[in-house]
Amino acid sequence: MAILCTTTTTSPAEKEHEPKQDLGNDQTPPIIFNPSLLNLQNQIPNQFIWPDEEKPSIDIPELNVPFIDLSRQDSTLEASRLIAEACTKHGFFLVLNHGVSESLISEAQRLMERFFDMPLAGKQRAQRKPGESCGYASSFTGRFSTKLPWKETLSFRFSNENSGSRTVQNYFSDTLGQEFEHFGKVYQDYCEAMSSLSLKIMELLGLNLGVNRDYFRGFFEENDSIMRLNHYPPCQTPDLTLGTGPHCDPSSLTILHQDQVNGLQVFVDNQWRSILPNPKAFVVNIGDTFMALSNGIFKSCLHRAVVNRECARKSMAFFLCPKKDKVVRPPSEILEKMKTRKYPDFTWSMFLEFTQNHYRADVNTLDSFSNWVISNKKNPI
């Protein structure tokens, strides 16, 4: 059962299309986001206050998203149809009977809570470096200086390129020390489960797009993905800030597990709608890279996270990404039907570099990136 601590609604602000976006290059020392102190303050720092047109408000409707039961082999075509219906409209659906161990999910959640309960200095041992996508980030205060998100995160890379690779396990031991070896093993297993689940979903996406069901599975078989743990602390003025601002995921596919606190919202039909937590299900959404792979058929949808006064919220997000040097180009079966290309060829490495160093992700990220690729004559080969 979801804990409805707060909900919200507003229209997203108009976004510029030029690469820019407040990348924190001024000379003002970045504010320190320490949840144990800030969540007790009645007044939050101005850096966390969002513009009026983007602030949350109450009583938003729930989004009707399809439930996809992966245990029913006799309903593959129906599952593909339901996914396609969602992906052409807003890109979100829920996956049930996914085959991921409940005990693994529970242990991953428990360790996430242990990490974020650590003193700030302990978490900062994994501090994210400028221009990188992995490490500990306390509200991205070192990167942005306005419209800061009310959250802290731990992100780490997962590579499925070599069988037996222990990328995640090594990250925890090398970055945080041998006492975090168990963390590394659990999240290594969790990422491997997410990778396997992603490939199953890719087969269903391929079926509806009219390509061989193995095409996208093969494209992402050696995925170089990102895992992120999110912690949204309580906030005394949740009507002024956001846990995560409106954005589309630059990656290909996101698989999200929420705790029991409500907070995920999606912008559909010109209004914000809520996706309530379901501990038995994963929330799956299409990202910008797969929208480009489908030549715009499947949509990457604007979404955000809100916070509340009483309850901390935590979630685990697996961002499926192709191998970094893989050229993102729609398969010939799609191009033969559509004739016109919507996006230029690119690699995930190019797109990741753009979002980390040149642009703050929003509703226009893919279009802005495409213009940047064309104007700078970037060649993915």
Side-chain angles (χ1 to χ4, degrees), residues 317-362:
F318 180 82
F319 300 101
L320 179 72
C321 312
K323 193 176 175 182
K324 286 188 176 178
D325 61 356
K326 198 96 170 175
V327 176
V328 176
R329 177 190 299 126
S332 58
E333 293 91 334
I334 292 177
L335 295 179
E336 287 169 2
K337 294 176 183 176
M338 300 186 71
K339 307 300 182 187
T340 304
R341 285 287 301 275
K342 291 195 173 182
Y343 310 101
D345 288 355
F346 63 90
T347 63
W348 169 240
S349 179
M350 292 166 57
F351 199 10
L352 182 63
E353 193 267 337
F354 177 77
T355 59
Q356 293 304 306
N357 297 312
H358 302 287
Y359 198 87
R360 185 172 183 172
D362 62 13

Side-chain angles (χ1 to χ4, degrees), residues 115 123-138 140 143 152-159 167-168 170-172 175-176 191 224-230 317-319 321 324 348 352-353 355-357:
F115 177 81
K123 291 178 284 193
Q124 287 177 329
R125 288 160 62 188
Q127 187 68 46
R128 182 174 176 172
K129 295 180 175 62
E132 294 187 357
S133 57
C134 295
Y136 171 73
S138 55
F140 305 138
R143 188 177 176 211
E152 55 180 344
T153 64
L154 178 66
S155 307
F156 41 93
R157 172 177 172 254
F158 168 77
S159 174
T167 314
V168 177
N170 293 339
Y171 171 81
F172 275 87
T175 306
L176 292 166
C191 286
D224 197 330
S225 299
I226 298 169
M227 179 74 200
R228 179 167 298 157
L229 311 179
N230 300 301
F318 180 82
F319 300 101
C321 312
K324 286 188 176 178
W348 169 240
L352 182 63
E353 193 267 337
T355 59
Q356 293 304 306
N357 297 312

